[in-house]
Amino acid sequence: MSIYANCREELLNAVHNIVNKKGKNEFSIMEVIEYMGRENTPYSESTIRTHITSRCCSNAPENHAVVYNDLERIGRGKYKIIHK
């Protein structure tokens, strides 16, 4: 059983850990998928991608009833945390 309440919570933990380790507020989708995979996430790659590119991305097209402004797309396949 996961210690996280949902995919968003686990995703944000992963993103913060990646950014802190790199020392730069920038990450790729694959970095997050690989990190969460190593942590034995119960979430599929497609669910993680959807959260990064759409549900949690402030500058994504509106495709979901509930969205969060956690991340910002800064380039092709590159994102940053809006609020650290």
Side-chain angles (χ1 to χ4, degrees), residues 28-46:
S28 71
I29 295 169
M30 282 311 300
E31 286 176 305
V32 178
I33 290 169
E34 290 169 359
Y35 181 95
M36 289 176 70
R38 286 191 302 273
E39 297 294 314
N40 297 312
T41 184
Y43 301 104
S44 69
E45 182 176 326
S46 63

Side-chain angles (χ1 to χ4, degrees), residues 14-63:
V15 167
H16 278 93
N17 285 330
I18 291 165
V19 166
N20 287 338
K21 185 175 181 180
K22 290 172 75 172
K24 182 177 182 182
N25 189 8
E26 180 179 300
F27 62 92
S28 71
I29 295 169
M30 282 311 300
E31 286 176 305
V32 178
I33 290 169
E34 290 169 359
Y35 181 95
M36 289 176 70
R38 286 191 302 273
E39 297 294 314
N40 297 312
T41 184
Y43 301 104
S44 69
E45 182 176 326
S46 63
T47 298
I48 297 167
R49 284 182 183 277
T50 298
H51 273 72
I52 295 170
T53 62
S54 189
R55 296 194 74 105
C56 297
C57 186
S58 66
N59 56 346
E62 293 185 25
N63 293 321

